Structure formats: C-alpha cells, structure tokens
C-alpha cells in the first residue's frame, strides 16, 4: 500500500483556518485520497475524499497538488469540536481489493485553542 | 438512519474466555468491515463482507478470530481463548458499494472496547 506522511500534531485557534498537510509521493494513478477524523472515544468519521481535482464539502476542502504527491485538508474556521486525530489515507482497487480497506497511519492530532 | 451500532460498548474478560461482539450496519449498506485499534495507533483492517460473503481477511486475523454475517445484515466477531494482546477497540464500519469501480465512503460505529485481564 502507498504510504502517507503527516505531522504528528498541529495547533490552531478557534475560528481560524487550519491547513493539515499530507505527503504521498508513491501514490498510484488509481489511488483516492481520503481524510477521516476521529474524535475521542468515537470511531473514525469520513471528512472528504478526492482523486485529482480539489474538492469542497460542508465540512472541509481538499486541495490536491498537480502531481498528486501531496494534499492539504483545509478547515475554514476551526471550532473546538474540530479537535481530533486527522488521518490522510490512500485507497485504491489495485489487485481487486476493496476501496474500503483503509491503511490508517498515526494521523495528525489537531488541538484547537479557545 | 441510526448509523452503525455496536454492542457491547465495553467488555472486560479474563484471559482464555471467549467473547463475541455484534455490529449492526446502516440498513441499506452491502459492505461491512471490521477494524481493530490499539491505544495511540490508527485502526487496522481485519476483514470485510459483501452481503453475506467474507471477501478478505487480514493476516492479522489469527485462527482464534472468526467473523460472520449470516443474512447479509448484522455481523458478529468472535474471539476464542482471549489473550491480553487482544485488548483493543474493535470497530465496525459499513458502506454502500456500487459495482462501478468507484470509491467507498465508510461509516464507522463507536466501537467495542475489549479489556482482557
């Protein structure tokens, strides 16, 4: 499986934008870039995903580099409820495996200060 | 839509005992996944079902672990002869997969926290 690299931790102030980076230099052409987050004592929660183009949804934006070797999750205005571990994950169907078979790393712990 | 439900939320057992966990996926979802998460680590894939068929099992899944999804709805994960190393959060997720080779979005439950004494 292609690997991702994320900072161990990041901090932000409430109501400020947050840019969470992810490097994935060995990404293959069919790999989707997923972001999930995990709040304390809960299971992971889907945030956003993309393939080549930038994506927006009600939770966040995903900016994908032109060469696809890196991406950035953007939270436009952080709230205290956004404090979580954020996982950047690649998934593809190479070899017939499921897109839902995700390889989680350790993620980025986001702390949001009031 | 009540989301993915897992039962129990917590389980404490003694080494050597058998335990069984249940997962109820989102009702229209045809795929169901089991993951395991230890403290400070990301979740690890264990196995998944498409309807009632178990399509893949991780090498992490020893012979003591068995999972079923008999009618393509709820699933159970059983661990026989538990060991202290089995202590972890066991997470279930479901998805609606369309046979168009497109991406999947997983919906996770809150997990079952297993402690083996």
């Amino acid at each position: 499986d292609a690997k991702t690299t994320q900072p161990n931790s990041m901090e932000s102030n409430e109501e400020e934008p947050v840019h969470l980076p992810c490097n994935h230099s060995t990404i293959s052409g069919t790999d989707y870039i997923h972001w999930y987050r995990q709040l304390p004592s809960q299971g992971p929660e889907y945030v956003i995903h993309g393939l080549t183009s930038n994506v927006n949804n009600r939770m966040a934006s995903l900016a994908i580099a032109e060469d696809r070797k890196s991406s950035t999750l953007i939270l436009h205005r952080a709230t205290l409820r956004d404090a979580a571990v954020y996982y950047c994950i690649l998934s593809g169907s190479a070899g017939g495996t499921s897109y839902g078979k995700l390889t989680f790393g350790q993620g980025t712990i986001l702390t949001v200060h009031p | 839509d009540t989301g993915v439900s897992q039962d129990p939320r917590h389980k404490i057992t003694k080494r050597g005992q058998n335990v069984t966990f249940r997962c109820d996926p989102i009702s229209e979802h045809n795929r169901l996944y089991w993951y395991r998460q230890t403290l400070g680590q990301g979740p690890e894939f264990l196995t998944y079902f498409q309807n009632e068929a178990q399509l893949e099992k991780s090498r992490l899944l020893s012979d003591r672990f068995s999972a079923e999804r008999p009618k393509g709805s709820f699933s159970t994960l059983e661990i026989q002869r538990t060991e202290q190393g089995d202590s972890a959060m066991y997470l279930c997720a479901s998805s609606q997969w369309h046979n168009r080779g497109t991406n999947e979005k997983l919906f996770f439950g809150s997990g079952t926290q297993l402690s083996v004494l």
Side-chain angles (χ1 to χ4, degrees):
Chain A
D1 290 334
K3 267 192 80 171
T4 63
T5 305
Q6 300 177 250
N8 290 333
S9 62
M10 291 187 64
E11 297 186 18
S12 172
N13 294 319
E14 207 174 4
E15 298 192 3
E16 289 185 355
V18 181
H19 291 232
L20 296 165
C22 181
N23 288 319
H24 29 78
S25 57
T26 59
I27 190 169
S28 74
T30 56
D31 283 341
Y32 281 87
I33 302 160
H34 298 251
W35 284 83
Y36 282 77
R37 72 180 186 181
Q38 189 170 21
L39 281 64
S41 302
Q42 294 190 26
E45 174 189 29
Y46 168 84
V47 178
I48 200 165
H49 77 273
L51 187 60
T52 56
S53 304
N54 294 345
V55 185
N56 299 297
N57 67 21
R58 64 173 182 81
M59 289 181 72
S61 297
L62 177 59
I64 302 173
E66 201 169 327
D67 63 6
R68 301 213 321 131
K69 293 186 177 182
S70 66
S71 61
T72 303
L73 178 71
I74 303 165
L75 306 179
H76 295 286
R77 289 182 66 208
T79 70
L80 296 178
R81 288 174 294 180
D82 292 321
V85 180
Y86 285 79
Y87 296 100
C88 170
I89 305 161
L90 303 182
S91 102
S93 66
T97 193
S98 160
Y99 280 106
K101 181 187 170 186
L102 304 176
T103 301
F104 288 79
Q106 291 193 301
T108 296
I109 301 170
L110 175 66
T111 301
V112 180
H113 299 289
Chain B
D1 177 3
T2 57
V4 177
S5 176
Q6 292 189 247
D7 184 66
R9 286 296 309 274
H10 304 274
K11 178 71 177 178
I12 300 173
T13 192
K14 292 183 179 178
R15 190 176 53 185
Q17 297 293 305
N18 299 343
V19 294
T20 300
F21 311 138
R22 177 181 170 121
C23 172
D24 286 274
I26 294 171
S27 58
E28 65 270 22
H29 284 184
N30 55 5
R31 282 190 169 177
L32 186 147
Y33 295 79
W34 286 99
Y35 283 77
R36 179 173 66 189
Q37 186 174 25
T38 53
L39 201 60
Q41 304 296 315
E44 297 172 301
F45 167 81
L46 293 179
T47 188
Y48 87 98
F49 294 82
Q50 182 166 309
N51 299 314
E52 65 274 9
Q54 188 172 19
L55 295 189
E56 190 170 345
K57 290 196 294 186
S58 164
R59 281 168 286 185
L60 294 174
L61 215 59
S62 79
D63 292 344
R64 296 183 297 105
F65 287 70
S66 62
E68 293 183 341
R69 194 183 184 200
K71 296 182 181 176
S73 56
F74 73 92
S75 176
T76 57
L77 177 68
E78 181 183 17
I79 309 174
Q80 295 183 327
R81 304 181 304 281
T82 52
E83 302 173 356
Q84 288 183 325
D86 297 331
S87 295
M89 173 76 79
Y90 289 84
L91 292 160
C92 176
S94 68
S95 73
Q96 180 58 30
W97 180 77
H98 302 284
N99 190 14
R100 295 194 294 263
T102 58
N103 186 50
E104 286 176 72
K105 184 164 81 171
L106 297 192
F107 294 81
F108 282 84
S110 295
T112 294
Q113 181 65 52
L114 174 66
S115 299
V116 182
L117 305 179

